[in-house]
Amino acid sequence: MTACAIEPSADPGSGGPPRAGCSIAAEGAYAARLARSGDSWYPERWTLDGPEPYAVPLPGNQPEEPGTEVQPMGDGRVLVHRTAAGRHLFSLLYPTGPGTGELPLGAVECPADTTRLRLLPPAPGGERAYALAVGPRATVLWQVAGGAFGPERVAEVPGRCSGGAWLDRSGRILAVDRETGGRTKAVVVDLERDGEVSPLLQIAADSDDRILLADPDSGLVLIRSDAPSPGRGRLGWGVLGSTLPVRFPECLRLTDCVVTPFAIQPGQALTPERCAVALRVDGAFGSWVAVWRPAEREVRHLPAPEGWLAGAGLWTADGELRLPCATPSSPCAVARLAAPEAEGSGSGSAEDAEESAPRGPDGSGGADGPDGLGAPDRPDTSAAPAPAPPRPVPLQQAPLARLVTK
């Protein structure tokens, strides 16, 4: 299952997604959100993997602040991130009969006027949780849950980092958007190599290239870049390990709307272009849902279910989109939408509907990068032993011929 991002952003065009209504664990069993009763806020855990969804309120000793972050863990506990006088406090909440149990995990101290700390999307496995502390010139990656001695400093990355997407199922390879020298490029942080940083996405030297969402099964990634339209970010897609370029479908350019991908259909290991992608569309008349596949040249627009926690949802492997909803009459519900049937795979004129990333001077996509993730042709390895965790192929290394996905 693909977890939703939780980073708030007052300016979606800057690359950060709008705040989602709740956070869903990577495996999809639990969700967590801040619920409201009158003027008071409190954490609430949702259980999603049973016959019917149900919510458990987890109020603490005092109401939460509206900006408090919450995140579900794989065992059903809820991580809560609070701030007080420059200190970032982390605790795990869990139900204890009629009350709420709380396990303090410790604190991270950051200068309140120079550093911003936020949780990353839920890590695969649900045993650990991470946060980025963004300073003026560098970003520190913290493991804030799942360690032996409270919050642990994992790595320091030069530059100001934002976003966050997990590229594998083990929780080792993390992609973030790093701003240095006035430009933003997606990079990879390897948590098992002392936070080693390597390039992932650099379409052009003067473009801002961000990664929005990734599916570890298929390698499909959704990006936003202003390379094809300088000064204006556009949605594009690519595949880790592929020899095809990043492409920017014309159908994803919606006038006067902000389009944010929030879930990718899992389990499509050999057919990334057939993965259904759920999109949140924010326009003058509110928010709604759209579904798109890379192999198609059409976005299917769907009305948002009543009470949708906008921007939150997950796909099942067989193509059912599940959207958490809360209304006064149904405070904990999940709307289930079947993905529209896929059309035939792209052919012939499909290239007319997409733009490839611009060529670098050498005919490639541009910048230098590390060794790659898997073989481009994805050979059958069913009889081979399980490989070591792979390294991602820099997307800018894909040749930029106008090829058509078959």
Side-chain angles (χ1 to χ4, degrees), residues 165-167 175 200-201 210-216 218-224 235-241 246-247 261 264 272 275 277 292 294 373 392-393 395:
W166 296 99
L167 302 187
L200 176 64
L201 184 62
R210 298 176 170 88
I211 186 165
L212 303 181
L213 202 61
D215 174 56
S218 62
L220 178 65
V221 294
L222 277 295
I223 72 156
R224 193 185 304 277
L235 283 182
W237 67 279
V239 180
L240 295 173
V246 173
R247 292 190 284 178
I264 300 175
C275 291
V277 179
W292 165 80
L373 170 60
V393 166
L395 297 182

PDB file of all heavy atoms in Angstrom, residues 165-167 175 200-201 210-216 218-224 235-241 246-247 261 264 272 275 277 292 294 373 392-393 395:
ATOM      1  N   ALA A 165      10.102  10.328  -0.130  1.00  0.00           N
ATOM      2  CA  ALA A 165       9.441   9.156  -0.711  1.00  0.00           C
ATOM      3  C   ALA A 165      10.361   7.956  -0.526  1.00  0.00           C
ATOM      4  O   ALA A 165      11.572   8.050  -0.763  1.00  0.00           O
ATOM      5  CB  ALA A 165       9.150   9.370  -2.194  1.00  0.00           C
ATOM      6  N   TRP A 166       9.790   6.823  -0.103  1.00  0.00           N
ATOM      7  CA  TRP A 166      10.561   5.602   0.094  1.00  0.00           C
ATOM      8  C   TRP A 166      10.618   4.834  -1.223  1.00  0.00           C
ATOM      9  O   TRP A 166       9.587   4.600  -1.864  1.00  0.00           O
ATOM     10  CB  TRP A 166       9.937   4.750   1.200  1.00  0.00           C
ATOM     11  CG  TRP A 166       9.976   5.438   2.525  1.00  0.00           C
ATOM     12  CD1 TRP A 166       8.961   6.131   3.124  1.00  0.00           C
ATOM     13  CD2 TRP A 166      11.093   5.526   3.406  1.00  0.00           C
ATOM     14  NE1 TRP A 166       9.373   6.649   4.321  1.00  0.00           N
ATOM     15  CE2 TRP A 166      10.682   6.298   4.535  1.00  0.00           C
ATOM     16  CE3 TRP A 166      12.400   5.035   3.374  1.00  0.00           C
ATOM     17  CZ2 TRP A 166      11.532   6.578   5.602  1.00  0.00           C
ATOM     18  CZ3 TRP A 166      13.251   5.318   4.424  1.00  0.00           C
ATOM     19  CH2 TRP A 166      12.821   6.080   5.524  1.00  0.00           C
ATOM     20  N   LEU A 167      11.820   4.415  -1.606  1.00  0.00           N
ATOM     21  CA  LEU A 167      12.009   3.760  -2.895  1.00  0.00           C
ATOM     22  C   LEU A 167      12.112   2.249  -2.799  1.00  0.00           C
ATOM     23  O   LEU A 167      12.233   1.587  -3.827  1.00  0.00           O
ATOM     24  CB  LEU A 167      13.273   4.306  -3.578  1.00  0.00           C
ATOM     25  CG  LEU A 167      13.317   5.815  -3.834  1.00  0.00           C
ATOM     26  CD1 LEU A 167      14.552   6.165  -4.655  1.00  0.00           C
ATOM     27  CD2 LEU A 167      12.057   6.307  -4.520  1.00  0.00           C
ATOM     28  N   ALA A 175      14.222   9.012  -0.865  1.00  0.00           N
ATOM     29  CA  ALA A 175      14.415  10.119  -1.795  1.00  0.00           C
ATOM     30  C   ALA A 175      13.857  11.393  -1.175  1.00  0.00           C
ATOM     31  O   ALA A 175      12.752  11.393  -0.617  1.00  0.00           O
ATOM     32  CB  ALA A 175      13.718   9.836  -3.126  1.00  0.00           C
ATOM     33  N   LEU A 200      19.508  11.686  -7.916  1.00  0.00           N
ATOM     34  CA  LEU A 200      18.419  10.884  -8.451  1.00  0.00           C
ATOM     35  C   LEU A 200      17.788  11.540  -9.665  1.00  0.00           C
ATOM     36  O   LEU A 200      17.541  10.901 -10.674  1.00  0.00           O
ATOM     37  CB  LEU A 200      17.349  10.635  -7.390  1.00  0.00           C
ATOM     38  CG  LEU A 200      16.102   9.887  -7.871  1.00  0.00           C
ATOM     39  CD1 LEU A 200      16.463   8.467  -8.307  1.00  0.00           C
ATOM     40  CD2 LEU A 200      15.022   9.861  -6.810  1.00  0.00           C
ATOM     41  N   LEU A 201      17.525  12.839  -9.567  1.00  0.00           N
ATOM     42  CA  LEU A 201      16.754  13.512 -10.613  1.00  0.00           C
ATOM     43  C   LEU A 201      17.356  14.877 -10.896  1.00  0.00           C
ATOM     44  O   LEU A 201      17.363  15.753 -10.031  1.00  0.00           O
ATOM     45  CB  LEU A 201      15.295  13.654 -10.165  1.00  0.00           C
ATOM     46  CG  LEU A 201      14.308  14.245 -11.160  1.00  0.00           C
ATOM     47  CD1 LEU A 201      14.211  13.377 -12.401  1.00  0.00           C
ATOM     48  CD2 LEU A 201      12.936  14.391 -10.519  1.00  0.00           C
ATOM     49  N   ARG A 210      11.553  17.683  -8.537  1.00  0.00           N
ATOM     50  CA  ARG A 210      11.149  17.103  -7.259  1.00  0.00           C
ATOM     51  C   ARG A 210      10.486  15.749  -7.471  1.00  0.00           C
ATOM     52  O   ARG A 210       9.794  15.531  -8.464  1.00  0.00           O
ATOM     53  CB  ARG A 210      10.175  18.027  -6.526  1.00  0.00           C
ATOM     54  CG  ARG A 210      10.747  19.395  -6.159  1.00  0.00           C
ATOM     55  CD  ARG A 210       9.677  20.273  -5.529  1.00  0.00           C
ATOM     56  NE  ARG A 210      10.218  21.488  -4.949  1.00  0.00           N
ATOM     57  CZ  ARG A 210      10.396  22.626  -5.614  1.00  0.00           C
ATOM     58  NH1 ARG A 210      10.036  22.700  -6.894  1.00  0.00           N
ATOM     59  NH2 ARG A 210      10.893  23.689  -5.022  1.00  0.00           N
ATOM     60  N   ILE A 211      10.661  14.867  -6.516  1.00  0.00           N
ATOM     61  CA  ILE A 211       9.960  13.586  -6.534  1.00  0.00           C
ATOM     62  C   ILE A 211       8.779  13.682  -5.582  1.00  0.00           C
ATOM     63  O   ILE A 211       8.904  14.148  -4.442  1.00  0.00           O
ATOM     64  CB  ILE A 211      10.906  12.427  -6.166  1.00  0.00           C
ATOM     65  CG1 ILE A 211      10.192  11.087  -6.345  1.00  0.00           C
ATOM     66  CG2 ILE A 211      11.485  12.581  -4.772  1.00  0.00           C
ATOM     67  CD1 ILE A 211      11.133   9.899  -6.365  1.00  0.00           C
ATOM     68  N   LEU A 212       7.609  13.273  -6.044  1.00  0.00           N
ATOM     69  CA  LEU A 212       6.385  13.401  -5.266  1.00  0.00           C
ATOM     70  C   LEU A 212       5.928  12.084  -4.658  1.00  0.00           C
ATOM     71  O   LEU A 212       5.408  12.051  -3.538  1.00  0.00           O
ATOM     72  CB  LEU A 212       5.254  13.953  -6.144  1.00  0.00           C
ATOM     73  CG  LEU A 212       5.511  15.293  -6.833  1.00  0.00           C
ATOM     74  CD1 LEU A 212       4.279  15.703  -7.638  1.00  0.00           C
ATOM     75  CD2 LEU A 212       5.871  16.362  -5.816  1.00  0.00           C
ATOM     76  N   LEU A 213       6.084  10.985  -5.403  1.00  0.00           N
ATOM     77  CA  LEU A 213       5.525   9.716  -4.968  1.00  0.00           C
ATOM     78  C   LEU A 213       6.282   8.604  -5.674  1.00  0.00           C
ATOM     79  O   LEU A 213       6.752   8.786  -6.805  1.00  0.00           O
ATOM     80  CB  LEU A 213       4.040   9.659  -5.339  1.00  0.00           C
ATOM     81  CG  LEU A 213       3.114   8.704  -4.583  1.00  0.00           C
ATOM     82  CD1 LEU A 213       3.065   9.045  -3.101  1.00  0.00           C
ATOM     83  CD2 LEU A 213       1.713   8.748  -5.185  1.00  0.00           C
ATOM     84  N   ALA A 214       6.414   7.455  -5.015  1.00  0.00           N
ATOM     85  CA  ALA A 214       7.120   6.323  -5.614  1.00  0.00           C
ATOM     86  C   ALA A 214       6.446   5.030  -5.200  1.00  0.00           C
ATOM     87  O   ALA A 214       5.917   4.917  -4.093  1.00  0.00           O
ATOM     88  CB  ALA A 214       8.586   6.315  -5.174  1.00  0.00           C
ATOM     89  N   ASP A 215       6.475   4.053  -6.112  1.00  0.00           N
ATOM     90  CA  ASP A 215       5.977   2.718  -5.811  1.00  0.00           C
ATOM     91  C   ASP A 215       7.144   1.742  -5.894  1.00  0.00           C
ATOM     92  O   ASP A 215       7.696   1.537  -6.979  1.00  0.00           O
ATOM     93  CB  ASP A 215       4.882   2.305  -6.788  1.00  0.00           C
ATOM     94  CG  ASP A 215       4.471   0.852  -6.576  1.00  0.00           C
ATOM     95  OD1 ASP A 215       4.094   0.509  -5.447  1.00  0.00           O
ATOM     96  OD2 ASP A 215       4.559   0.062  -7.536  1.00  0.00           O
ATOM     97  N   PRO A 216       7.527   1.118  -4.775  1.00  0.00           N
ATOM     98  CA  PRO A 216       8.681   0.208  -4.804  1.00  0.00           C
ATOM     99  C   PRO A 216       8.464  -1.026  -5.664  1.00  0.00           C
ATOM    100  O   PRO A 216       9.439  -1.598  -6.164  1.00  0.00           O
ATOM    101  CB  PRO A 216       8.860  -0.171  -3.326  1.00  0.00           C
ATOM    102  CG  PRO A 216       8.210   0.921  -2.548  1.00  0.00           C
ATOM    103  CD  PRO A 216       7.046   1.351  -3.400  1.00  0.00           C
ATOM    104  N   SER A 218       6.799  -1.472  -8.693  1.00  0.00           N
ATOM    105  CA  SER A 218       6.964  -1.248 -10.136  1.00  0.00           C
ATOM    106  C   SER A 218       8.111  -0.315 -10.461  1.00  0.00           C
ATOM    107  O   SER A 218       8.572  -0.273 -11.602  1.00  0.00           O
ATOM    108  CB  SER A 218       5.673  -0.675 -10.719  1.00  0.00           C
ATOM    109  OG  SER A 218       5.389   0.584 -10.120  1.00  0.00           O
ATOM    110  N   GLY A 219       8.557   0.476  -9.491  1.00  0.00           N
ATOM    111  CA  GLY A 219       9.555   1.497  -9.755  1.00  0.00           C
ATOM    112  C   GLY A 219       8.980   2.775 -10.326  1.00  0.00           C
ATOM    113  O   GLY A 219       9.720   3.716 -10.624  1.00  0.00           O
ATOM    114  N   LEU A 220       7.647   2.852 -10.446  1.00  0.00           N
ATOM    115  CA  LEU A 220       7.023   4.060 -10.973  1.00  0.00           C
ATOM    116  C   LEU A 220       7.209   5.217  -9.999  1.00  0.00           C
ATOM    117  O   LEU A 220       6.971   5.073  -8.796  1.00  0.00           O
ATOM    118  CB  LEU A 220       5.531   3.814 -11.224  1.00  0.00           C
ATOM    119  CG  LEU A 220       4.719   5.012 -11.731  1.00  0.00           C
ATOM    120  CD1 LEU A 220       5.175   5.444 -13.111  1.00  0.00           C
ATOM    121  CD2 LEU A 220       3.223   4.672 -11.735  1.00  0.00           C
ATOM    122  N   VAL A 221       7.638   6.359 -10.516  1.00  0.00           N
ATOM    123  CA  VAL A 221       7.766   7.557  -9.696  1.00  0.00           C
ATOM    124  C   VAL A 221       7.035   8.700 -10.374  1.00  0.00           C
ATOM    125  O   VAL A 221       7.004   8.813 -11.605  1.00  0.00           O
ATOM    126  CB  VAL A 221       9.243   7.940  -9.451  1.00  0.00           C
ATOM    127  CG1 VAL A 221       9.944   6.895  -8.606  1.00  0.00           C
ATOM    128  CG2 VAL A 221       9.990   8.175 -10.751  1.00  0.00           C
ATOM    129  N   LEU A 222       6.415   9.544  -9.573  1.00  0.00           N
ATOM    130  CA  LEU A 222       5.764  10.762 -10.033  1.00  0.00           C
ATOM    131  C   LEU A 222       6.614  11.942  -9.598  1.00  0.00           C
ATOM    132  O   LEU A 222       7.048  12.002  -8.436  1.00  0.00           O
ATOM    133  CB  LEU A 222       4.358  10.893  -9.456  1.00  0.00           C
ATOM    134  CG  LEU A 222       3.206  10.137 -10.151  1.00  0.00           C
ATOM    135  CD1 LEU A 222       2.985  10.679 -11.555  1.00  0.00           C
ATOM    136  CD2 LEU A 222       3.449   8.651 -10.180  1.00  0.00           C
ATOM    137  N   ILE A 223       6.873  12.846 -10.516  1.00  0.00           N
ATOM    138  CA  ILE A 223       7.742  13.973 -10.237  1.00  0.00           C
ATOM    139  C   ILE A 223       7.055  15.268 -10.617  1.00  0.00           C
ATOM    140  O   ILE A 223       6.040  15.278 -11.311  1.00  0.00           O
ATOM    141  CB  ILE A 223       9.077  13.851 -10.998  1.00  0.00           C
ATOM    142  CG1 ILE A 223       8.839  14.104 -12.494  1.00  0.00           C
ATOM    143  CG2 ILE A 223       9.730  12.492 -10.782  1.00  0.00           C
ATOM    144  CD1 ILE A 223      10.054  14.557 -13.229  1.00  0.00           C
ATOM    145  N   ARG A 224       7.634  16.377 -10.154  1.00  0.00           N
ATOM    146  CA  ARG A 224       7.224  17.703 -10.614  1.00  0.00           C
ATOM    147  C   ARG A 224       8.485  18.455 -11.006  1.00  0.00           C
ATOM    148  O   ARG A 224       9.437  18.536 -10.235  1.00  0.00           O
ATOM    149  CB  ARG A 224       6.449  18.461  -9.534  1.00  0.00           C
ATOM    150  CG  ARG A 224       5.729  19.715 -10.085  1.00  0.00           C
ATOM    151  CD  ARG A 224       5.065  20.531  -8.987  1.00  0.00           C
ATOM    152  NE  ARG A 224       4.133  19.774  -8.187  1.00  0.00           N
ATOM    153  CZ  ARG A 224       2.865  19.527  -8.512  1.00  0.00           C
ATOM    154  NH1 ARG A 224       2.395  19.968  -9.661  1.00  0.00           N
ATOM    155  NH2 ARG A 224       2.086  18.837  -7.702  1.00  0.00           N
ATOM    156  N   LEU A 235       3.685  17.973 -13.848  1.00  0.00           N
ATOM    157  CA  LEU A 235       3.752  16.590 -13.406  1.00  0.00           C
ATOM    158  C   LEU A 235       4.352  15.720 -14.500  1.00  0.00           C
ATOM    159  O   LEU A 235       3.994  15.846 -15.677  1.00  0.00           O
ATOM    160  CB  LEU A 235       2.362  16.066 -13.057  1.00  0.00           C
ATOM    161  CG  LEU A 235       1.742  16.493 -11.730  1.00  0.00           C
ATOM    162  CD1 LEU A 235       0.383  15.829 -11.562  1.00  0.00           C
ATOM    163  CD2 LEU A 235       2.642  16.139 -10.567  1.00  0.00           C
ATOM    164  N   GLY A 236       5.237  14.823 -14.085  1.00  0.00           N
ATOM    165  CA  GLY A 236       5.818  13.868 -15.009  1.00  0.00           C
ATOM    166  C   GLY A 236       5.966  12.522 -14.339  1.00  0.00           C
ATOM    167  O   GLY A 236       5.699  12.364 -13.153  1.00  0.00           O
ATOM    168  N   TRP A 237       6.399  11.536 -15.120  1.00  0.00           N
ATOM    169  CA  TRP A 237       6.567  10.203 -14.566  1.00  0.00           C
ATOM    170  C   TRP A 237       7.795   9.539 -15.195  1.00  0.00           C
ATOM    171  O   TRP A 237       8.224   9.852 -16.298  1.00  0.00           O
ATOM    172  CB  TRP A 237       5.324   9.343 -14.790  1.00  0.00           C
ATOM    173  CG  TRP A 237       5.051   8.990 -16.231  1.00  0.00           C
ATOM    174  CD1 TRP A 237       4.449   9.777 -17.173  1.00  0.00           C
ATOM    175  CD2 TRP A 237       5.371   7.759 -16.888  1.00  0.00           C
ATOM    176  NE1 TRP A 237       4.365   9.110 -18.371  1.00  0.00           N
ATOM    177  CE2 TRP A 237       4.920   7.873 -18.243  1.00  0.00           C
ATOM    178  CE3 TRP A 237       5.972   6.567 -16.484  1.00  0.00           C
ATOM    179  CZ2 TRP A 237       5.058   6.845 -19.166  1.00  0.00           C
ATOM    180  CZ3 TRP A 237       6.118   5.538 -17.410  1.00  0.00           C
ATOM    181  CH2 TRP A 237       5.668   5.672 -18.728  1.00  0.00           C
ATOM    182  N   GLY A 238       8.361   8.617 -14.422  1.00  0.00           N
ATOM    183  CA  GLY A 238       9.491   7.831 -14.884  1.00  0.00           C
ATOM    184  C   GLY A 238       9.500   6.514 -14.151  1.00  0.00           C
ATOM    185  O   GLY A 238       8.672   6.263 -13.262  1.00  0.00           O
ATOM    186  N   VAL A 239      10.430   5.659 -14.503  1.00  0.00           N
ATOM    187  CA  VAL A 239      10.553   4.342 -13.881  1.00  0.00           C
ATOM    188  C   VAL A 239      11.999   4.118 -13.483  1.00  0.00           C
ATOM    189  O   VAL A 239      12.901   4.223 -14.324  1.00  0.00           O
ATOM    190  CB  VAL A 239      10.093   3.218 -14.837  1.00  0.00           C
ATOM    191  CG1 VAL A 239      10.227   1.853 -14.155  1.00  0.00           C
ATOM    192  CG2 VAL A 239       8.651   3.441 -15.282  1.00  0.00           C
ATOM    193  N   LEU A 240      12.229   3.838 -12.211  1.00  0.00           N
ATOM    194  CA  LEU A 240      13.577   3.527 -11.753  1.00  0.00           C
ATOM    195  C   LEU A 240      14.075   2.269 -12.455  1.00  0.00           C
ATOM    196  O   LEU A 240      13.376   1.261 -12.514  1.00  0.00           O
ATOM    197  CB  LEU A 240      13.585   3.316 -10.235  1.00  0.00           C
ATOM    198  CG  LEU A 240      13.238   4.538  -9.393  1.00  0.00           C
ATOM    199  CD1 LEU A 240      13.114   4.148  -7.937  1.00  0.00           C
ATOM    200  CD2 LEU A 240      14.282   5.630  -9.557  1.00  0.00           C
ATOM    201  N   GLY A 241      15.274   2.335 -13.002  1.00  0.00           N
ATOM    202  CA  GLY A 241      15.834   1.193 -13.691  1.00  0.00           C
ATOM    203  C   GLY A 241      15.477   1.122 -15.155  1.00  0.00           C
ATOM    204  O   GLY A 241      15.949   0.222 -15.850  1.00  0.00           O
ATOM    205  N   VAL A 246      12.119  10.559 -18.447  1.00  0.00           N
ATOM    206  CA  VAL A 246      10.991  11.142 -17.729  1.00  0.00           C
ATOM    207  C   VAL A 246      10.091  11.815 -18.760  1.00  0.00           C
ATOM    208  O   VAL A 246      10.560  12.481 -19.674  1.00  0.00           O
ATOM    209  CB  VAL A 246      11.488  12.170 -16.705  1.00  0.00           C
ATOM    210  CG1 VAL A 246      10.321  12.913 -16.083  1.00  0.00           C
ATOM    211  CG2 VAL A 246      12.321  11.490 -15.631  1.00  0.00           C
ATOM    212  N   ARG A 247       8.780  11.630 -18.611  1.00  0.00           N
ATOM    213  CA  ARG A 247       7.840  12.223 -19.567  1.00  0.00           C
ATOM    214  C   ARG A 247       6.760  13.017 -18.844  1.00  0.00           C
ATOM    215  O   ARG A 247       6.446  12.751 -17.695  1.00  0.00           O
ATOM    216  CB  ARG A 247       7.250  11.138 -20.460  1.00  0.00           C
ATOM    217  CG  ARG A 247       8.310  10.548 -21.386  1.00  0.00           C
ATOM    218  CD  ARG A 247       7.708   9.658 -22.426  1.00  0.00           C
ATOM    219  NE  ARG A 247       7.327   8.367 -21.862  1.00  0.00           N
ATOM    220  CZ  ARG A 247       6.738   7.417 -22.583  1.00  0.00           C
ATOM    221  NH1 ARG A 247       6.442   7.619 -23.842  1.00  0.00           N
ATOM    222  NH2 ARG A 247       6.436   6.262 -22.028  1.00  0.00           N
ATOM    223  N   PRO A 261      -0.451  13.841  -6.855  1.00  0.00           N
ATOM    224  CA  PRO A 261      -0.615  12.386  -6.738  1.00  0.00           C
ATOM    225  C   PRO A 261      -0.477  11.955  -5.287  1.00  0.00           C
ATOM    226  O   PRO A 261       0.366  12.466  -4.562  1.00  0.00           O
ATOM    227  CB  PRO A 261       0.535  11.838  -7.594  1.00  0.00           C
ATOM    228  CG  PRO A 261       1.564  12.923  -7.591  1.00  0.00           C
ATOM    229  CD  PRO A 261       0.822  14.218  -7.487  1.00  0.00           C
ATOM    230  N   ILE A 264      -0.324   5.145  -5.491  1.00  0.00           N
ATOM    231  CA  ILE A 264      -0.034   4.365  -6.687  1.00  0.00           C
ATOM    232  C   ILE A 264      -0.445   2.920  -6.434  1.00  0.00           C
ATOM    233  O   ILE A 264      -0.174   2.366  -5.364  1.00  0.00           O
ATOM    234  CB  ILE A 264       1.462   4.415  -7.050  1.00  0.00           C
ATOM    235  CG1 ILE A 264       1.919   5.857  -7.310  1.00  0.00           C
ATOM    236  CG2 ILE A 264       1.771   3.549  -8.272  1.00  0.00           C
ATOM    237  CD1 ILE A 264       3.412   5.992  -7.560  1.00  0.00           C
ATOM    238  N   PRO A 272       4.768  -1.044 -14.945  1.00  0.00           N
ATOM    239  CA  PRO A 272       4.567   0.239 -14.255  1.00  0.00           C
ATOM    240  C   PRO A 272       3.640   1.177 -14.999  1.00  0.00           C
ATOM    241  O   PRO A 272       2.920   1.967 -14.375  1.00  0.00           O
ATOM    242  CB  PRO A 272       5.993   0.812 -14.163  1.00  0.00           C
ATOM    243  CG  PRO A 272       6.778   0.085 -15.206  1.00  0.00           C
ATOM    244  CD  PRO A 272       6.175  -1.282 -15.290  1.00  0.00           C
ATOM    245  N   CYS A 275       0.011   0.930 -13.876  1.00  0.00           N
ATOM    246  CA  CYS A 275      -0.384   1.257 -12.505  1.00  0.00           C
ATOM    247  C   CYS A 275      -1.408   2.386 -12.496  1.00  0.00           C
ATOM    248  O   CYS A 275      -1.227   3.410 -13.165  1.00  0.00           O
ATOM    249  CB  CYS A 275       0.830   1.707 -11.685  1.00  0.00           C
ATOM    250  SG  CYS A 275       2.043   0.448 -11.320  1.00  0.00           S
ATOM    251  N   VAL A 277      -2.928   5.553 -10.790  1.00  0.00           N
ATOM    252  CA  VAL A 277      -2.433   6.599  -9.906  1.00  0.00           C
ATOM    253  C   VAL A 277      -3.612   7.458  -9.471  1.00  0.00           C
ATOM    254  O   VAL A 277      -4.393   7.927 -10.311  1.00  0.00           O
ATOM    255  CB  VAL A 277      -1.376   7.471 -10.610  1.00  0.00           C
ATOM    256  CG1 VAL A 277      -0.880   8.575  -9.683  1.00  0.00           C
ATOM    257  CG2 VAL A 277      -0.204   6.618 -11.089  1.00  0.00           C
ATOM    258  N   TRP A 292      -5.494   8.162 -13.121  1.00  0.00           N
ATOM    259  CA  TRP A 292      -4.725   8.223 -14.365  1.00  0.00           C
ATOM    260  C   TRP A 292      -3.744   7.067 -14.393  1.00  0.00           C
ATOM    261  O   TRP A 292      -3.304   6.587 -13.337  1.00  0.00           O
ATOM    262  CB  TRP A 292      -3.992   9.561 -14.433  1.00  0.00           C
ATOM    263  CG  TRP A 292      -2.894   9.641 -15.456  1.00  0.00           C
ATOM    264  CD1 TRP A 292      -3.023   9.862 -16.788  1.00  0.00           C
ATOM    265  CD2 TRP A 292      -1.489   9.505 -15.200  1.00  0.00           C
ATOM    266  NE1 TRP A 292      -1.778   9.877 -17.397  1.00  0.00           N
ATOM    267  CE2 TRP A 292      -0.824   9.659 -16.441  1.00  0.00           C
ATOM    268  CE3 TRP A 292      -0.736   9.275 -14.049  1.00  0.00           C
ATOM    269  CZ2 TRP A 292       0.562   9.583 -16.560  1.00  0.00           C
ATOM    270  CZ3 TRP A 292       0.639   9.202 -14.162  1.00  0.00           C
ATOM    271  CH2 TRP A 292       1.273   9.346 -15.413  1.00  0.00           C
ATOM    272  N   PRO A 294      -0.089   5.853 -16.594  1.00  0.00           N
ATOM    273  CA  PRO A 294       0.905   6.342 -17.554  1.00  0.00           C
ATOM    274  C   PRO A 294       0.655   5.871 -18.974  1.00  0.00           C
ATOM    275  O   PRO A 294       1.006   6.574 -19.932  1.00  0.00           O
ATOM    276  CB  PRO A 294       2.219   5.777 -17.003  1.00  0.00           C
ATOM    277  CG  PRO A 294       1.989   5.641 -15.535  1.00  0.00           C
ATOM    278  CD  PRO A 294       0.545   5.237 -15.407  1.00  0.00           C
ATOM    279  N   LEU A 373      19.677   0.925 -10.267  1.00  0.00           N
ATOM    280  CA  LEU A 373      18.754   0.023  -9.593  1.00  0.00           C
ATOM    281  C   LEU A 373      18.252  -1.005 -10.587  1.00  0.00           C
ATOM    282  O   LEU A 373      17.433  -0.716 -11.436  1.00  0.00           O
ATOM    283  CB  LEU A 373      17.575   0.814  -9.034  1.00  0.00           C
ATOM    284  CG  LEU A 373      16.405   0.003  -8.499  1.00  0.00           C
ATOM    285  CD1 LEU A 373      16.861  -0.879  -7.367  1.00  0.00           C
ATOM    286  CD2 LEU A 373      15.307   0.920  -8.039  1.00  0.00           C
ATOM    287  N   PRO A 392      19.219   3.024  -6.768  1.00  0.00           N
ATOM    288  CA  PRO A 392      18.366   3.562  -7.830  1.00  0.00           C
ATOM    289  C   PRO A 392      19.167   4.127  -8.989  1.00  0.00           C
ATOM    290  O   PRO A 392      20.240   4.677  -8.824  1.00  0.00           O
ATOM    291  CB  PRO A 392      17.581   4.661  -7.124  1.00  0.00           C
ATOM    292  CG  PRO A 392      18.351   4.987  -5.925  1.00  0.00           C
ATOM    293  CD  PRO A 392      19.184   3.806  -5.557  1.00  0.00           C
ATOM    294  N   VAL A 393      18.616   3.973 -10.192  1.00  0.00           N
ATOM    295  CA  VAL A 393      19.196   4.597 -11.373  1.00  0.00           C
ATOM    296  C   VAL A 393      18.816   6.070 -11.393  1.00  0.00           C
ATOM    297  O   VAL A 393      17.641   6.408 -11.240  1.00  0.00           O
ATOM    298  CB  VAL A 393      18.657   3.919 -12.653  1.00  0.00           C
ATOM    299  CG1 VAL A 393      18.976   4.753 -13.879  1.00  0.00           C
ATOM    300  CG2 VAL A 393      19.259   2.546 -12.814  1.00  0.00           C
ATOM    301  N   LEU A 395      17.351   9.159 -12.740  1.00  0.00           N
ATOM    302  CA  LEU A 395      16.405   9.266 -13.847  1.00  0.00           C
ATOM    303  C   LEU A 395      16.951  10.107 -14.992  1.00  0.00           C
ATOM    304  O   LEU A 395      16.558   9.933 -16.137  1.00  0.00           O
ATOM    305  CB  LEU A 395      15.091   9.862 -13.336  1.00  0.00           C
ATOM    306  CG  LEU A 395      14.359   9.030 -12.289  1.00  0.00           C
ATOM    307  CD1 LEU A 395      13.062   9.708 -11.915  1.00  0.00           C
ATOM    308  CD2 LEU A 395      14.101   7.622 -12.793  1.00  0.00           C
TER     309      LEU A 395
END
